Amino acid sequence: MKKYILDFRVSENVKLHDSYALLKLTPAGEVKLPPMLPGQFVEARVDKSATTFLRRPISIHWVDYTRNELWLLIRIAGEGTRTLCALQQGDILNLVLPLGNTFTLPNRTDTKILLVGGGVGIAPLLYWGQYLKEQGYTPIFLLGFRSDKDILQYDLFKELGEVYISTEDGSFGEKGFVTQHSLLDRPFDNLYVCGPKPMMVAVARYAREHDLFCEVSLENTMACGVGACLCCVEDTTEGNVCVCKEGPIFNITKLKWQI
């Protein structure tokens, strides 16, 4: 897909949590959003941080072509993301987009699909769930958080399909990790996963044990987005590859995780 370097104007900054912000962006000027696919990401330039020199990779969370609006869900992890989360309405944010590949669409609309996310890893799953629903599929979501205070975008996910929650302290949904949720007792055909690596490794192990199709969205450090800086290299069955260029979506059969 063609890549663009575009200025976006912040139409709204929604504080979802002390550590999370939802940036709603529209292209500056009379520019229409370019085509974007679920699982792809943007590289955001951080202009107001003297210590941040490289762009920050952010998953595409939601796209509304009718409103010409792009959503980015950002978790504060350092000075760069803290600066992005502090942007105000009217501020300009420069993005390179769309980058990376997309999830694999199942061949049959009756495929039993489960989307598994943890923390900020839920970000690409909202747009993927929207895309699946528009294509006639019925996705089910299993989302994991530390507590009920950390749950994000619950109502939006509910508009797209059934939503199940696990919290580590049991304050909402079932207590424990997503891999301990009783939902996994039901039969599924395809799993799509994004979140902390230990969570993705555990779900991938479950998928292999049950001979299920499974794709994961890796969150390696991606500084350039085009495979030039080699920050995001992942060891795969096909050798070392740049996640930003060959991914971030990988079938687990291509990954050399200890699972």
Side-chain angles (χ1 to χ4, degrees):
M1 295 179 68
K2 184 177 179 180
K3 298 174 178 61
Y4 299 82
I5 303 176
L6 298 174
D7 284 336
F8 283 76
R9 192 176 304 279
V10 178
S11 55
E12 188 176 5
N13 183 343
V14 183
K15 301 298 183 183
L16 299 177
H17 182 278
D18 289 344
S19 300
Y20 290 89
L22 174 64
L23 293 184
K24 298 183 179 182
L25 308 167
T26 55
E30 300 297 324
V31 178
K32 295 294 184 182
L33 284 174
M36 289 174 272
L37 295 172
Q40 292 186 307
F41 65 99
V42 307
E43 286 280 354
R45 192 177 71 202
V46 185
D47 290 332
K48 298 181 180 180
S49 171
T51 60
T52 306
F53 304 103
L54 300 174
R55 289 177 181 262
R56 291 295 183 263
I58 309 292
S59 294
I60 294 171
H61 185 45
W62 185 266
V63 182
D64 188 333
Y65 290 104
T66 302
R67 295 171 57 90
N68 204 33
E69 191 169 74
L70 166 67
W71 292 8
L72 302 178
L73 178 64
I74 304 176
R75 178 178 67 88
I76 297 175
E79 181 60 28
T81 49
R82 187 182 306 278
T83 301
L84 294 175
C85 286
L87 290 173
Q88 301 296 314
Q89 184 177 25
D91 285 345
I92 295 296
L93 178 62
N94 183 269
L95 303 178
V96 180
L97 78 166
L99 298 169
N101 62 354
T102 185
F103 296 103
T104 301
L105 193 69
N107 293 325
R108 296 165 53 97
T109 56
D110 61 353
T111 301
K112 298 180 178 64
I113 300 172
L114 180 63
L115 279 58
V116 185
V120 76
I122 70 168
L125 301 184
L126 187 67
Y127 187 31
W128 179 222
Q130 176 200 27
Y131 188 89
L132 286 168
K133 185 175 180 181
E134 290 175 348
Q135 300 298 316
Y137 296 84
T138 305
I140 295 176
F141 301 91
L142 174 57
L143 310 177
F145 303 95
R146 290 182 178 178
S147 73
D148 58 349
K149 297 179 178 62
D150 300 301
I151 295 173
L152 304 166
Q153 307 292 66
Y154 181 59
D155 291 339
L156 289 180
F157 279 104
K158 285 178 62 177
E159 293 178 5
L160 302 175
E162 296 179 52
V163 181
Y164 296 83
I165 301 289
S166 68
T167 51
E168 294 179 23
D169 64 358
S171 54
F172 191 94
E174 292 189 16
K175 183 176 182 178
F177 302 114
V178 291
T179 49
Q180 300 169 322
H181 200 285
S182 61
L183 178 64
L184 294 180
D185 294 333
R186 291 166 53 175
F188 289 97
D189 302 310
N190 286 33
L191 305 183
Y192 301 93
V193 192
C194 186
K197 185 174 181 179
M199 185 207 80
M200 291 195 292
V201 170
V203 176
R205 181 183 298 115
Y206 169 87
R208 287 199 171 183
E209 290 172 351
H210 293 80
D211 194 26
L212 304 178
F213 176 93
C214 182
E215 287 183 338
V216 297
S217 178
L218 300 190
E219 297 184 322
N220 298 32
T221 300
M222 295 178 279
C224 72
V226 294
C229 68
L230 304 180
C231 290
C232 61
V233 169
E234 179 77 20
D235 188 15
T236 74
T237 58
E238 299 174 352
N240 289 330
V241 301
C242 291
V243 170
C244 68
K245 188 175 180 181
E246 304 298 329
I249 312 302
F250 289 88
N251 191 296
I252 60 169
T253 60
K254 301 294 185 182
L255 299 173
K256 296 173 70 173
W257 290 350
Q258 298 300 310
I259 56 178

